[in-house]
Amino acid sequence: MGGKRKNSEVSLSDEEKSNKKAKRKKEELLPSMIKNKDKRSEVHAKLKRQKKLEKRAKSKARDAAVKRALELGEEPPEKKVPRTIENTREFDETICKPDDEELFAGNDADEFSSILNQQQIPKILITTCRFNSTRGPAFISELLSVIPNAHYFKRGTYDLKKIVEYANNKDFTSIIVVHTNRREPDALLIIGLPDGPTAHFKLSKLVLRKDIKNHGTPTCHKPELVLNNFTTRLGHRIGRLIQSLFPQNPEFKGRRVVTFHNQRDFIFFRHHRYIFENKEIKKTESKGKKDNDDKSEKVPEQKTIARLQECGPRFTLKLISLQNGTFDTKGGEYEWVHKVLSGQEGWLS
């Protein structure tokens, strides 16, 4: 009899354990594990509501702690800083400092110094790869409107080395080659003349002017150039390469701005123009002490508001390689080549 009782006690404890395990499984059940669509959406909404309530309770508790500390004259608790890719990055030793004498001495002796010191006017040759696409000519025509003193030459069957020789003889300062794949521009090759360097960029997310809503039409004035977040040695060099494509005496009357914004090694290109508008702001004025019973006059007031209108095109660049000298696939020396490394970002900034 005693043995049978022991077995029943063991079986009861096993049942309790299995029930606990089943409860845990039910609690850990994720919406993606549910096959029924209605039930899945119901569980998802419930979890979302629960998270929202928890977040609200945490913020209320935090506000109450700050209020209590201020009432008692104590220091409020420190605000928590969220972890982002930017603030968790390792410190880069190649970041340029404003008091770096070696960097400024190198600027006076590099390949772009004659253009950036206004001793030479930039003259750009734009061409394509041998097999052009349908969107390629439209993109090139918009590049010609963005970059002053740029000229388009049809590639034909000419080798790129011969084009470099021709451009050197005709006193061009840079060559831009638009590469296309599957009827879509997908890369840019910028060659500095006469001594290089050669930068190869991947081109993505191209939006032409006609596809931008409420776009503006740019004038032929020289644009103002804005380079943002090119802070490392490599970024500084790429920034100077981009800067050498544009004249260094912008015509502010044209109200044109060309922006190259670097963020996490992606260079975002935008082309805008300033617009100044006069807007009427109605200001209420009371008539006097006698007529203070909710009686007032609305006096219009003029105010000038500045805004930006996008002219296009819009695209994103990513540096693939930087080569010393002009384009040479066989014997060229590379300053930098993009390699995919885990956790490594911020080559340009």
Side-chain angles (χ1 to χ4, degrees):
M1 293 291 286
K4 284 182 180 178
R5 281 175 188 171
K6 281 180 183 178
N7 289 333
S8 62
E9 285 172 9
V10 170
S11 61
L12 282 168
S13 63
D14 289 341
E15 283 178 7
E16 285 174 4
K17 285 179 182 178
S18 62
N19 289 334
K20 284 179 181 178
K21 283 181 182 178
K23 283 180 181 178
R24 282 177 189 170
K25 282 182 180 179
K26 282 183 180 179
E27 287 174 1
E28 293 172 2
L29 194 66
L30 298 171
S32 57
M33 298 162 68
I34 301 167
K35 292 182 179 180
N36 189 298
K37 187 179 178 181
D38 296 334
K39 185 69 177 174
R40 185 170 63 243
S41 60
E42 186 184 337
V43 171
H44 175 72
K46 191 177 179 181
L47 286 171
K48 197 173 179 182
R49 203 181 304 115
Q50 190 177 350
K51 282 182 181 178
K52 193 176 180 181
L53 290 170
E54 286 175 3
K55 191 177 178 182
R56 195 180 294 170
K58 282 180 182 178
S59 67
K60 281 184 178 179
R62 192 164 54 247
D63 292 342
V66 171
K67 192 178 180 181
R68 198 183 307 113
L70 290 170
E71 285 175 356
L72 296 171
E74 299 175 356
E75 288 187 4
E78 292 183 1
K79 288 184 179 180
K80 292 183 179 179
V81 180
R83 286 171 60 86
T84 61
I85 293 173
E86 297 296 332
N87 62 17
T88 54
R89 269 175 54 185
E90 294 180 6
F91 178 74
D92 194 351
E93 294 178 356
T94 64
I95 288 176
C96 302
K97 295 177 182 178
D99 56 346
D100 194 343
E101 294 178 2
E102 185 185 344
L103 180 68
F104 292 113
N107 287 346
D108 296 331
D110 68 359
E111 304 94 330
F112 320 113
S113 58
S114 61
I115 297 171
L116 301 186
N117 293 333
Q118 299 186 26
Q119 296 170 4
Q120 193 177 1
I121 298 168
K123 187 181 177 183
I124 317 301
L125 186 149
I126 300 178
T127 187
T128 60
C129 60
R130 286 178 179 175
F131 304 101
N132 201 2
S133 68
T134 51
R135 288 188 85 195
F139 175 53
I140 287 167
S141 67
E142 294 190 10
L143 273 182
L144 290 169
S145 68
V146 171
I147 304 171
N149 203 17
H151 308 271
Y152 170 67
F153 285 82
K154 195 175 179 181
R155 174 73 179 269
T157 57
Y158 290 103
D159 192 35
L160 197 56
K161 287 186 178 180
K162 289 185 178 179
I163 293 171
V164 170
E165 287 178 15
Y166 173 81
N168 274 324
N169 294 332
K170 294 292 181 179
D171 296 328
F172 283 94
T173 57
S174 295
I175 298 174
I176 298 176
V177 182
V178 180
H179 185 270
T180 55
N181 184 24
R182 296 181 181 178
R183 301 181 179 181
E184 188 73 21
D186 70 333
L188 279 184
L189 192 71
I190 302 175
I191 305 169
L193 298 177
D195 303 318
T198 302
H200 179 212
F201 294 95
K202 180 185 174 183
L203 179 82
S204 60
K205 297 182 181 178
L206 173 63
V207 182
L208 297 175
R209 186 178 299 147
K210 63 177 184 178
D211 300 322
I212 296 172
K213 192 178 179 182
N214 300 325
H215 66 83
T217 306
T219 59
C220 58
H221 293 85
K222 294 173 186 175
E224 181 185 354
L225 183 64
V226 177
L227 297 173
N228 190 21
N229 210 18
F230 292 87
T231 53
T232 62
R233 287 290 181 104
L234 177 65
H236 182 73
R237 188 154 170 77
I238 293 298
R240 283 178 70 83
L241 173 65
I242 293 168
Q243 202 175 351
S244 67
L245 300 174
F246 294 86
Q248 304 306 302
N249 52 342
E251 296 173 346
F252 296 104
K253 288 181 180 179
R255 296 176 287 140
R256 289 179 63 195
V257 186
V258 172
T259 307
F260 289 88
H261 173 74
N262 174 50
Q263 188 171 358
R264 296 175 191 169
D265 294 343
F266 287 94
I267 302 169
F268 300 94
F269 173 86
R270 295 294 183 270
H271 181 204
H272 294 93
R273 63 189 290 265
Y274 294 113
I275 291 178
F276 298 99
E277 293 178 340
N278 291 325
K279 202 170 183 180
E280 285 189 359
I281 297 171
K282 291 181 180 178
K283 194 175 180 181
T284 57
E285 285 188 4
S286 57
K287 286 185 178 180
K289 292 181 180 179
K290 293 180 181 179
D291 304 329
N292 245 354
D293 313 291
D294 303 332
K295 288 184 179 181
S296 61
E297 279 187 16
K298 290 185 177 179
V299 180
E301 188 180 322
Q302 293 282 339
K303 189 177 180 182
T304 305
I305 295 170
R307 66 180 181 88
L308 289 173
Q309 184 184 30
E310 192 169 357
C311 298
R314 181 196 303 169
F315 56 86
T316 305
L317 298 173
K318 187 174 177 65
L319 184 65
I320 303 299
S321 65
L322 184 67
Q323 185 181 2
N324 271 325
T326 54
F327 182 73
D328 189 1
T329 52
K330 292 182 180 178
E333 292 183 4
Y334 286 89
E335 290 184 39
W336 184 86
V337 178
H338 179 258
K339 292 179 182 178
V340 180
L341 299 172
S342 60
Q344 182 67 42
E345 281 193 1
W347 296 105
L348 302 177
S349 62

